[in-house]
Amino acid sequence: MRRLLPCLAVATLWWGSTLHGAGAQTLTVWDDQALPSQAKVISEINAKFEAAHPGVKIARTARTFEDLGLTLKLTLSSGGGPAVTKANQGAQQMGALVKEKLLLPIDVYIAKYGWDKKQSDGVLARDRWSDKGEFGTGPTYGISALGELVGLYYNAKVLKEAGIDKPPATLDELAKDVEALKAKGAVPFTIGTTKGDMALHMFASLSQAMIGAADRKSLDDLVYGRGGSWNTPGNVAAAKQVQDWANGGAFNEGFQGIADDDAVQLFVGGQGAFLISGTWRLGDMQANPDIHFMALPPAASVKDPLIVGGVELAWTITALAKDKATQDLAGDYINYLLSDDAAAAWAAAGYLPVAALEKPDKVQIPALLGETIKVWNTVNAANALGHYPDWASPTMLKTLTDGLTRVIAKEDTPEVFIAAVDKDYQGYMASQKK
């Protein structure tokens, strides 16, 4: 789930010489970089790849995260669609595609290009599925170019006008700031819940901020399909906090009638003190210099709290790449997406590359991205990179989003919601044993 440098120079032959002079070839590509700031970067990257590969054409289709989730498996199953596509790493999408043999393992290209030297084994494990449907082990089916964190964006100007001199250091301080902002007539949280996953990201961030890195095994086991229970006091407390804020005046007026994209634009325009979302919003957020990024503050006494995130949707090669020439072209294309040139383009636009830049001194890094990189480095050093909970089962995204809608509307209690989440998971686990 989302779910995150010098200008690109024409690439040299080291990453594509075998394809020069190979004749005209079209590589069909689907991605989820639909925001204007993202589309500009990926279009530049594709143009540079084509310039270094005479006769090669990237036929790109941009889809939203939601649209990709709805159409990818159906299209591939019918024999159409892309040779290269972004895919969500969880059971709902990548796991289902692997089960139907609609994706190809990419380990041969990991070895060929040394991608495992750029990314840790823990990051690569998020794209592994065994022949038995086990998540986190077995062949590798994808790799990401951008890192992702779901954190707390805050507007320092709005906070200062409410008499708050610094961002909160704990969840308790965050709760106090919310009350102080309400007392001043300011909007504590900007959020939109009609489309997108802002409510889910708020719930997951609150929940994982209560878990220290040393105690992460239970969450890892749940997400990687090793078992356990979602019915925990922390998850119930997180759902209750979302419900209380939604019904206690902590959200912007009319939040039930706007989508996440609209909420971001309201926040960039100065409406609201806080917004919980991911680093894929960095390109939009840097338009307002008062906006900053930090990890959601932890619960009291929690050391090295987890932060929701990991990596962007993975770049994968589909079964439609039937011949070796197409597979090799796909591998070469993904290799360029992982190159320092491509990372440079993303960072220059304010987005977070998953690997450290080879020549950071050559890149003018936006201030907001600089803050985010510090959070990324701290989180990774502490092994505190958490998870998107919807990865845990094929139906978990719907269970979570539908359930949170009912929690916010006070149609369900937090306890009923968490029980439904656990029922979904236990049903999936039981089905895997058959």
Side-chain angles (χ1 to χ4, degrees), residues 40-372:
K40 183 176 185 294
V41 177
I42 197 66
S43 295
E44 291 174 358
I45 290 172
N46 287 346
K48 296 302 181 181
F49 184 84
E50 291 173 340
H53 292 74
V56 171
K57 174 67 177 176
I58 302 296
R60 173 183 180 251
T61 298
R63 297 184 179 275
T64 65
F65 173 84
E66 293 81 8
D67 187 33
L68 193 64
L70 290 170
T71 61
L72 182 58
K73 184 174 182 291
L74 181 63
T75 306
L76 291 175
S77 297
S78 68
V84 174
T85 186
K86 300 286 283 295
N88 199 9
Q89 289 88 338
Q92 181 182 32
Q93 193 165 96
M94 185 179 284
L97 294 172
V98 170
K99 184 178 181 181
E100 297 297 323
K101 302 188 184 303
L102 295 172
L103 297 182
L104 302 178
I106 63 167
D107 298 274
V108 62
Y109 299 110
I110 292 175
K112 177 180 179 179
Y113 294 112
W115 296 340
D116 54 340
K117 305 299 190 296
K118 291 187 173 185
Q119 300 188 18
S120 71
D121 192 70
V123 169
L124 292 174
R126 296 169 187 243
D127 296 295
R128 291 183 182 139
W129 287 87
S130 75
D131 294 340
K132 297 179 180 179
E134 298 162 323
F135 187 18
T137 186
T140 314
Y141 287 91
I143 192 166
S144 302
L146 298 178
E148 281 188 356
L149 298 171
V150 175
L152 184 69
Y153 290 97
Y154 66 94
N155 188 316
K157 181 180 178 181
V158 174
L159 291 179
K160 186 175 181 179
E161 289 173 348
I164 301 170
D165 296 327
K166 59 183 179 180
T170 66
L171 284 180
D172 286 343
E173 287 186 19
L174 176 60
K176 291 178 181 177
D177 286 349
V178 167
E179 295 307 312
L181 287 158
K182 287 165 54 179
K184 293 288 187 178
V187 174
F189 282 103
T190 304
I191 189 172
T193 61
T194 61
K195 184 179 179 182
D197 301 316
M198 282 189 164
L200 170 56
H201 290 148
M202 178 177 281
F203 161 75
S205 295
L206 287 164
S207 171
Q208 293 182 36
M210 302 179 196
I211 304 171
D215 302 313
R216 63 174 300 147
K217 185 178 184 300
S218 294
L219 180 62
D220 289 341
D221 286 348
L222 285 166
V223 173
Y224 285 122
R226 296 191 286 258
S229 174
W230 290 92
N231 204 339
T232 66
N235 283 334
V236 172
K240 186 176 189 306
Q241 183 64 86
V242 174
Q243 186 179 64
D244 289 348
W245 278 340
N247 291 276
F251 294 172
N252 48 293
E253 187 174 346
F255 69 90
Q256 306 98 323
I258 65 171
D260 53 353
D261 289 347
D262 299 319
V264 169
Q265 293 309 310
L266 289 173
F267 187 70
V268 171
Q271 298 188 43
F274 301 115
L275 182 143
I276 294 176
S277 189
T279 50
W280 54 89
R281 297 291 184 181
L282 287 170
D284 295 316
M285 296 295 185
Q286 64 186 0
N288 185 334
D290 295 316
I291 293 176
H292 301 270
F293 182 84
M294 61 180 283
L296 194 76
S301 76
V302 172
K303 179 176 170 51
D304 298 323
L306 300 187
I307 180 169
V308 176
V311 287
E312 63 165 347
L313 272 64
W315 290 100
T316 68
I317 302 174
T318 78
L320 294 183
K322 296 184 182 301
D323 58 86
K324 189 173 187 303
T326 304
Q327 293 168 16
D328 286 348
L329 177 59
D332 201 50
Y333 174 65
I334 293 174
N335 187 50
Y336 187 58
L337 294 170
L338 301 175
S339 71
D340 198 57
D341 280 344
W346 283 115
Y351 291 93
L352 177 66
V354 69
L357 299 176
E358 294 174 12
K359 300 176 182 178
D361 57 321
K362 301 290 186 180
V363 184
Q364 186 173 354
I365 296 177
L368 185 59
L369 177 59
E371 295 175 3
T372 307

Side-chain angles (χ1 to χ4, degrees), residues 401-414:
T401 54
D402 288 356
L404 282 165
T405 297
R406 291 192 294 272
V407 166
I408 288 172
K410 299 190 81 171
E411 295 173 0
D412 281 347
T413 65

